[in-house]
Amino acid sequence: MHHANHFYGHAHILAEYCGLDPEHPPRIDGYVQHGWNVVDGLGLGTPYVPGRPIFVYSERTRRRAWSMGRRQATVVGAPFLYLIALRPEAPDAPPREGTIFYPFHGWEKQQVLGDHQRQVDEILETETGPVTFCLYWNEYRNDEVRAAYEKYGRVICHGYRGQQWRDTDRHFLDKQLAEMRRHRRVASNRLSSAIFHGVAAGCEPAVYGDPMHLDHEDRPTADRIRREWPELHGKHLDGQAARASALSELGDGFLASPAELRAMLGWTKHHQAATARVPA
């Protein structure tokens, strides 16, 4: 299994949905899209075995993958949607309040460049109610950046994405879902997976503020995202249009049944073996 299939606990969620052990997901026969992007769904610069299947979120991503030569692309929907299916919201959940804000983040090979204080000032001018700042692990571990947000509200981190099959927080998305269901709004300064997940979890979305940039970032791609998804940019959006667009990007309507997903991921024999071990 490619190690990126474990990112954010994706393989673990899919295994649970398929009736398999979520602690030890079987090897996936292919590559799962591990985050929203505007190319073929795969990680930039990561080597892949040619001809192996890829499992993408949406039909739009599948078409891009096809145009880039990835002809074995199958739409299965985002793992986050399978998690929602596994964790229905409690009917007696307390009322939502405030905003969870996801500042644009860096990663191991690229750090984000921007004015965090200016970002906080605009957030506090815009949002009503309490604000939770959710930092990516990369910024959460930076004492200076974390302190810039801790002065103004609650600061959290959902955990480590994982790398090379090590230190994966398989409950990353469980924690994200739980936090989003506490908040009325989800916001960020860049359109990202967090915004799409927040919409699926029932939050009102917003994307505004200094977009910041990564060191050596491909700026035209960032600019294209703002042009291509105007309905998801702004402080106060048309809820119906934003929700339709976000759910489409996550592949809502394409979720497979457990049996279908087991067949696509190459897990049928694992399920048969697990079933055979269950006492009559």
Side-chain angles (χ1 to χ4, degrees), residues 180 186-188 190-200 205-207 232 246:
M180 286 175 166
V186 60
S188 180
R190 293 278 285 263
L191 188 58
S192 64
S193 298
I195 294 297
F196 296 117
H197 290 178
V199 171
V207 178
L232 286 165

Side-chain angles (χ1 to χ4, degrees), residues 80-81 84 89 96 98 177 180-186 194-205 243 247 250:
F80 192 76
L81 296 184
I84 289 177
E89 188 167 9
R96 298 172 179 235
L177 178 59
M180 286 175 166
R181 284 175 169 168
R182 295 178 54 179
H183 295 84
R184 184 175 58 85
R185 280 168 55 90
V186 60
I195 294 297
F196 296 117
H197 290 178
V199 171
C203 298
E204 301 171 11
R243 182 172 177 80
L247 292 181
L250 291 178

Side-chain angles (χ1 to χ4, degrees), residues 136-156:
Y136 197 56
W137 63 268
N138 188 69
E139 284 69 36
Y140 191 79
R141 294 177 180 178
N142 183 315
D143 293 341
E144 182 178 353
V145 173
R146 191 174 70 250
Y149 291 94
E150 286 178 331
K151 292 185 293 185
Y152 301 98
R154 176 172 170 255
V155 176
I156 63 171

Side-chain angles (χ1 to χ4, degrees), residues 5 8 41 50 75 80 85 95 101 103 110 124 127 130 132 146 183 199 206 209 219-220 253 257 259 266:
N5 289 344
Y8 310 108
V75 181
F80 192 76
F101 195 98
Q110 289 179 293
L124 297 181
E127 303 300 328
T132 296
R146 191 174 70 250
H183 295 84
V199 171
R219 298 290 184 92
S257 70

Side-chain angles (χ1 to χ4, degrees), residues 16-81:
E16 182 179 355
Y17 179 82
C18 287
L20 300 171
D21 182 4
E23 291 288 345
H24 305 286
R27 179 184 181 276
I28 293 174
D29 183 19
Y31 306 98
V32 175
Q33 179 177 341
H34 70 262
W36 179 76
N37 65 45
V38 295
V39 283
D40 59 359
L42 302 181
L44 180 65
T46 303
Y48 292 85
V49 177
R52 301 309 300 154
I54 63 174
F55 303 102
V56 299
Y57 292 3
S58 70
E59 174 61 19
R60 189 172 188 166
T61 304
R62 187 200 65 78
R63 291 197 301 268
R64 286 197 301 263
W66 179 272
S67 72
M68 296 169 68
R70 308 279 192 188
R71 300 303 172 88
Q72 293 78 25
T74 301
V75 181
V76 296
F80 192 76
L81 296 184

Side-chain angles (χ1 to χ4, degrees), residues 7 9 17 44 86 94 119 130 134 151-152 189 193 222 247 268 278:
F7 284 179
Y17 179 82
L44 180 65
L86 288 166
Q119 181 81 292
C134 184
K151 292 185 293 185
Y152 301 98
N189 52 327
S193 298
L247 292 181
T268 300
V278 177

Side-chain angles (χ1 to χ4, degrees), residues 9-23 25-26 76 78-87 170 254-262 264-265 267 271:
H10 280 176
H12 307 75
I13 291 168
L14 298 179
E16 182 179 355
Y17 179 82
C18 287
L20 300 171
D21 182 4
E23 291 288 345
V76 296
F80 192 76
L81 296 184
Y82 289 96
L83 179 65
I84 289 177
L86 288 166
R87 314 275 191 269
R170 81 168 190 87
F254 285 93
L255 267 64
S257 70
E260 290 170 331
L261 194 59
R262 287 194 297 267
M264 287 188 284
L265 301 182
W267 286 354
H271 183 258

